[in-house]
Amino acid sequence: MTDPQAPQPDPPTPDTTSAATNSPSTVRAANSPTGNGTTAVTAATSRAHPSESPATGREEAGDTVVEVSEAELESAAAQHFPASVDPAPLARRTRSRTTLIFAGALAGLVVLALISAAIGQVPTSYAEVAGSVFHRMGLDWGPMPHHPAGYVTLWEVRFPRVVLAVLVGAALATAGALLQGVFANPLAEPGVIGVSAGAAVGAGTVIVIGGAFAAAWSVAAGAFVAGLGTTALVYLLSRSGGRTEVVTLILTGVAINAFAGGLISFLLFKASPAARDQLVFWQMGSLNGATWQAVNVVWPLTLLGVAAAIWMAPRLDLLALGESAARHLGVDVERLRRNIIVVVAILATAGVAFTGIILFVGLIVPHLVRMLVGPGHRVLIPLSAILGAAVLVAADIGARALVHNADLPLGMITSLVGGPFFFWLLRRTRSRAGGWA
């Protein structure tokens, strides 16, 4: 029997040391100065059940008050919460870098054009090429070509070829950047929607029907009309329920490309030997038949297509967030997709109608630009046009310089260079991403 007067034992106190050791603790900054330039920071364990003082509301049991100077607290906050970082210098550095890349690309394009115009059987120096251009502009700068046929060769053969290479390269690269953006597919290029295969069928039909003496304009017109028609067919067949799905559009393009390949094989089988050779070489791509008349047809379509692509670039950036997010932000996704397909068809058919099939420019150049300036389409599209022009001019230089007194097919050069480069790009992307999964 216990004595009621005996003192009762004190209740056990919680072991705050072991609780603080075995459970996570929270730290609260009271932000109350203690009078000596320090701030009281209270650390309370999550498992302790401290009592609260009725006067101050401060937890007493299980708490540890640490004196921290205000300078140390501000330094720690600045390290973990850099809210006052000014993004202006970073933006200025990015703009400066982009400006330098644009300037370098334009300078490289001018240098390549100068080299391309100086290459040929008629000897012409770089100074003579530049002097010929300046004299044509009314400026008495630089020497004129010394060869009797130098001036005529420059303005009737070489300059049309250089300008057409610039236009076609810009058109194909811009078309590739648009398709990769709207499909969100890094493998997209103008051939995905049947432009190249359709143009080949149109050109092959004109060549076979007209024989080896088919006019260059009729071949170009057949390629242009067939390329546009094939693209329209791919779009209509992939449309269902008032909308077009990307996967359906790509698969329809694959099917149409396969069917067009069968038609090309049939045309090759039925063609005469001379027409067969002409069709085969047309499919390889070449700038050998470049004229100012061809340039006058291609340049309005190319400039119109590139301008439309730049105008649609902000909506492509919104589409990169996803179709649902783009719709919530006011983008008509179906209309945007349809407009891009129309622009790509115009650009690609204008490019291949006079030059034949040229591969890898629309696939490689946008990837190269993304490596330089990132995925933003406002910069990606115009820079792709400039680099695409430079790449095709460089390929044309190789086509004329690799073999003496020979004009190699341009499509062969772009494939031989573009294939290994694309393989390197795939390996680089895979190694950085750590796999494809």
Side-chain angles (χ1 to χ4, degrees), residues 104-122:
L106 287 173
L109 177 59
V110 172
V111 171
L112 288 172
L114 190 67
I115 296 173
S116 178
I119 292 178
Q121 296 183 9
V122 176

PDB file of all heavy atoms in Angstrom, residues 104-122:
ATOM      1  N   GLY A 104      29.517  35.368 -88.721  1.00  0.00           N
ATOM      2  CA  GLY A 104      30.447  34.372 -89.242  1.00  0.00           C
ATOM      3  C   GLY A 104      29.851  33.545 -90.369  1.00  0.00           C
ATOM      4  O   GLY A 104      30.533  33.240 -91.356  1.00  0.00           O
ATOM      5  N   ALA A 105      28.568  33.182 -90.233  1.00  0.00           N
ATOM      6  CA  ALA A 105      27.913  32.400 -91.286  1.00  0.00           C
ATOM      7  C   ALA A 105      27.798  33.208 -92.575  1.00  0.00           C
ATOM      8  O   ALA A 105      28.049  32.692 -93.672  1.00  0.00           O
ATOM      9  CB  ALA A 105      26.537  31.946 -90.812  1.00  0.00           C
ATOM     10  N   LEU A 106      27.426  34.489 -92.466  1.00  0.00           N
ATOM     11  CA  LEU A 106      27.329  35.330 -93.667  1.00  0.00           C
ATOM     12  C   LEU A 106      28.696  35.539 -94.302  1.00  0.00           C
ATOM     13  O   LEU A 106      28.825  35.476 -95.545  1.00  0.00           O
ATOM     14  CB  LEU A 106      26.707  36.667 -93.297  1.00  0.00           C
ATOM     15  CG  LEU A 106      25.203  36.658 -92.995  1.00  0.00           C
ATOM     16  CD1 LEU A 106      24.761  38.018 -92.474  1.00  0.00           C
ATOM     17  CD2 LEU A 106      24.416  36.290 -94.247  1.00  0.00           C
ATOM     18  N   ALA A 107      29.714  35.760 -93.467  1.00  0.00           N
ATOM     19  CA  ALA A 107      31.064  35.932 -94.015  1.00  0.00           C
ATOM     20  C   ALA A 107      31.545  34.652 -94.699  1.00  0.00           C
ATOM     21  O   ALA A 107      32.144  34.699 -95.788  1.00  0.00           O
ATOM     22  CB  ALA A 107      32.027  36.334 -92.904  1.00  0.00           C
ATOM     23  N   GLY A 108      31.277  33.512 -94.079  1.00  0.00           N
ATOM     24  CA  GLY A 108      31.645  32.249 -94.710  1.00  0.00           C
ATOM     25  C   GLY A 108      30.926  32.021 -96.021  1.00  0.00           C
ATOM     26  O   GLY A 108      31.515  31.509 -96.991  1.00  0.00           O
ATOM     27  N   LEU A 109      29.651  32.403 -96.086  1.00  0.00           N
ATOM     28  CA  LEU A 109      28.898  32.255 -97.336  1.00  0.00           C
ATOM     29  C   LEU A 109      29.486  33.123 -98.439  1.00  0.00           C
ATOM     30  O   LEU A 109      29.622  32.673 -99.597  1.00  0.00           O
ATOM     31  CB  LEU A 109      27.437  32.616 -97.091  1.00  0.00           C
ATOM     32  CG  LEU A 109      26.508  32.581 -98.320  1.00  0.00           C
ATOM     33  CD1 LEU A 109      26.489  31.192 -98.943  1.00  0.00           C
ATOM     34  CD2 LEU A 109      25.099  33.016 -97.927  1.00  0.00           C
ATOM     35  N   VAL A 110      29.878  34.348 -98.111  1.00  0.00           N
ATOM     36  CA  VAL A 110      30.475  35.230 -99.118  1.00  0.00           C
ATOM     37  C   VAL A 110      31.803  34.670 -99.613  1.00  0.00           C
ATOM     38  O   VAL A 110      32.094  34.668-100.828  1.00  0.00           O
ATOM     39  CB  VAL A 110      30.655  36.646 -98.527  1.00  0.00           C
ATOM     40  CG1 VAL A 110      31.456  37.524 -99.483  1.00  0.00           C
ATOM     41  CG2 VAL A 110      29.301  37.280 -98.246  1.00  0.00           C
ATOM     42  N   VAL A 111      32.613  34.168 -98.690  1.00  0.00           N
ATOM     43  CA  VAL A 111      33.906  33.601 -99.084  1.00  0.00           C
ATOM     44  C   VAL A 111      33.707  32.371 -99.973  1.00  0.00           C
ATOM     45  O   VAL A 111      34.382  32.216-101.008  1.00  0.00           O
ATOM     46  CB  VAL A 111      34.732  33.253 -97.834  1.00  0.00           C
ATOM     47  CG1 VAL A 111      35.980  32.462 -98.213  1.00  0.00           C
ATOM     48  CG2 VAL A 111      35.123  34.515 -97.088  1.00  0.00           C
ATOM     49  N   LEU A 112      32.787  31.504 -99.601  1.00  0.00           N
ATOM     50  CA  LEU A 112      32.535  30.311-100.414  1.00  0.00           C
ATOM     51  C   LEU A 112      31.994  30.682-101.798  1.00  0.00           C
ATOM     52  O   LEU A 112      32.357  30.048-102.798  1.00  0.00           O
ATOM     53  CB  LEU A 112      31.541  29.400 -99.692  1.00  0.00           C
ATOM     54  CG  LEU A 112      32.074  28.664 -98.461  1.00  0.00           C
ATOM     55  CD1 LEU A 112      30.943  27.957 -97.727  1.00  0.00           C
ATOM     56  CD2 LEU A 112      33.148  27.653 -98.854  1.00  0.00           C
ATOM     57  N   ALA A 113      31.127  31.678-101.858  1.00  0.00           N
ATOM     58  CA  ALA A 113      30.624  32.122-103.156  1.00  0.00           C
ATOM     59  C   ALA A 113      31.743  32.668-104.025  1.00  0.00           C
ATOM     60  O   ALA A 113      31.776  32.424-105.249  1.00  0.00           O
ATOM     61  CB  ALA A 113      29.525  33.176-102.943  1.00  0.00           C
ATOM     62  N   LEU A 114      32.668  33.392-103.410  1.00  0.00           N
ATOM     63  CA  LEU A 114      33.807  33.922-104.164  1.00  0.00           C
ATOM     64  C   LEU A 114      34.679  32.795-104.696  1.00  0.00           C
ATOM     65  O   LEU A 114      35.120  32.820-105.857  1.00  0.00           O
ATOM     66  CB  LEU A 114      34.619  34.838-103.245  1.00  0.00           C
ATOM     67  CG  LEU A 114      35.719  35.685-103.885  1.00  0.00           C
ATOM     68  CD1 LEU A 114      35.109  36.723-104.812  1.00  0.00           C
ATOM     69  CD2 LEU A 114      36.553  36.377-102.802  1.00  0.00           C
ATOM     70  N   ILE A 115      34.919  31.780-103.857  1.00  0.00           N
ATOM     71  CA  ILE A 115      35.728  30.636-104.300  1.00  0.00           C
ATOM     72  C   ILE A 115      35.018  29.876-105.411  1.00  0.00           C
ATOM     73  O   ILE A 115      35.632  29.478-106.408  1.00  0.00           O
ATOM     74  CB  ILE A 115      36.020  29.716-103.105  1.00  0.00           C
ATOM     75  CG1 ILE A 115      36.879  30.441-102.068  1.00  0.00           C
ATOM     76  CG2 ILE A 115      36.711  28.441-103.555  1.00  0.00           C
ATOM     77  CD1 ILE A 115      37.072  29.659-100.781  1.00  0.00           C
ATOM     78  N   SER A 116      33.713  29.663-105.254  1.00  0.00           N
ATOM     79  CA  SER A 116      32.957  28.919-106.262  1.00  0.00           C
ATOM     80  C   SER A 116      32.966  29.628-107.608  1.00  0.00           C
ATOM     81  O   SER A 116      33.078  28.984-108.662  1.00  0.00           O
ATOM     82  CB  SER A 116      31.521  28.711-105.780  1.00  0.00           C
ATOM     83  OG  SER A 116      30.753  28.029-106.741  1.00  0.00           O
ATOM     84  N   ALA A 117      32.867  30.951-107.591  1.00  0.00           N
ATOM     85  CA  ALA A 117      32.855  31.696-108.853  1.00  0.00           C
ATOM     86  C   ALA A 117      34.219  31.699-109.535  1.00  0.00           C
ATOM     87  O   ALA A 117      34.309  31.907-110.751  1.00  0.00           O
ATOM     88  CB  ALA A 117      32.399  33.125-108.608  1.00  0.00           C
ATOM     89  N   ALA A 118      35.282  31.472-108.772  1.00  0.00           N
ATOM     90  CA  ALA A 118      36.623  31.490-109.354  1.00  0.00           C
ATOM     91  C   ALA A 118      37.067  30.138-109.887  1.00  0.00           C
ATOM     92  O   ALA A 118      38.105  30.051-110.553  1.00  0.00           O
ATOM     93  CB  ALA A 118      37.630  31.989-108.320  1.00  0.00           C
ATOM     94  N   ILE A 119      36.314  29.072-109.608  1.00  0.00           N
ATOM     95  CA  ILE A 119      36.709  27.728-110.018  1.00  0.00           C
ATOM     96  C   ILE A 119      36.111  27.431-111.390  1.00  0.00           C
ATOM     97  O   ILE A 119      34.917  27.650-111.639  1.00  0.00           O
ATOM     98  CB  ILE A 119      36.226  26.684-108.993  1.00  0.00           C
ATOM     99  CG1 ILE A 119      36.975  26.854-107.681  1.00  0.00           C
ATOM    100  CG2 ILE A 119      36.416  25.271-109.525  1.00  0.00           C
ATOM    101  CD1 ILE A 119      36.521  25.900-106.600  1.00  0.00           C
ATOM    102  N   GLY A 120      36.931  26.899-112.270  1.00  0.00           N
ATOM    103  CA  GLY A 120      36.453  26.512-113.593  1.00  0.00           C
ATOM    104  C   GLY A 120      37.597  26.403-114.581  1.00  0.00           C
ATOM    105  O   GLY A 120      38.771  26.651-114.246  1.00  0.00           O
ATOM    106  N   GLN A 121      37.263  26.039-115.801  1.00  0.00           N
ATOM    107  CA  GLN A 121      38.287  25.874-116.821  1.00  0.00           C
ATOM    108  C   GLN A 121      38.857  27.202-117.291  1.00  0.00           C
ATOM    109  O   GLN A 121      40.017  27.277-117.688  1.00  0.00           O
ATOM    110  CB  GLN A 121      37.704  25.103-118.014  1.00  0.00           C
ATOM    111  CG  GLN A 121      37.283  23.682-117.670  1.00  0.00           C
ATOM    112  CD  GLN A 121      36.770  22.918-118.884  1.00  0.00           C
ATOM    113  OE1 GLN A 121      36.883  23.376-120.007  1.00  0.00           O
ATOM    114  NE2 GLN A 121      36.211  21.738-118.642  1.00  0.00           N
ATOM    115  N   VAL A 122      38.050  28.251-117.248  1.00  0.00           N
ATOM    116  CA  VAL A 122      38.556  29.578-117.606  1.00  0.00           C
ATOM    117  C   VAL A 122      39.231  30.173-116.376  1.00  0.00           C
ATOM    118  O   VAL A 122      38.579  30.380-115.343  1.00  0.00           O
ATOM    119  CB  VAL A 122      37.414  30.491-118.081  1.00  0.00           C
ATOM    120  CG1 VAL A 122      37.938  31.901-118.360  1.00  0.00           C
ATOM    121  CG2 VAL A 122      36.757  29.914-119.325  1.00  0.00           C
TER     122      VAL A 122
END
